[in-house]
């Protein structure tokens, strides 16, 4: 089964989705400095931690999806948390820029991670319905062409 997930991760679509998820995680980690809400310490720490976690998960999915597909459900949860974090993290009320940044990054992350999970499930489901290949004839290489003396 892990091999089927590895095959799914090797498709160009999956590689694009994994790359976008990695970039989303990296942006989430640096967003307090890009948007300018580092004075909101709780949200800054939250974004750095969840961004690094999302980026590491994306790297795991890109390099060893067959082994990490069991924890793929964590990435959409992190992305959903990112959407609601500005209102749920303690501290002063965040700026509009911080809220908009988190909501957009959370939605992009959610779309990418759900797409990644669906690509893996669809590809794995398709692979499980394949008809097994017909075994090759083990004696084929030992046969001779009539009159030539060479292998077939």
């Amino acid at each position: 089964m892990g091999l089927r997930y590895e095959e799914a991760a090797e498709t160009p679509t999956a590689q694009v989705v994994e790359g976008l998820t990695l970039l989303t995680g990296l942006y989430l980690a640096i967003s307090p400095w890009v948007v300018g809400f580092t004075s909101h310490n709780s949200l800054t720490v939250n974004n750095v931690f969840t961004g690094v976690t999302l980026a590491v998960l994306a790297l795991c999915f890109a390099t060893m999806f067959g082994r990490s597909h069991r924890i793929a459900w964590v990435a959409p949860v992190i992305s959903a948390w990112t959407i609601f974090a500005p209102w749920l993290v303690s501290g002063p009320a965040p700026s509009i820029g911080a809220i908009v940044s988190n909501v957009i990054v959370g939605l992009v992350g959610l779309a990418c991670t759900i797409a990644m999970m669906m690509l893996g499930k669809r590809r794995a489901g398709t692979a499980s319905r394949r008809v097994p290949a017909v075994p090759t004839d083990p004696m084929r290489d030992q046969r001779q062409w009539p009159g030539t003396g060479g292998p077939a």
Side-chain angles (χ1 to χ4, degrees), residues 23-39 44 47-48 95 97-98 101-102 105:
L23 291 175
T24 301
L26 292 176
Y27 174 78
L28 181 59
I30 65 168
S31 66
W33 293 274
V34 172
V35 178
F37 59 92
T38 54
S39 61
T44 298
N47 281 16
V48 169
S95 67
S101 175
N102 270 37
V105 169

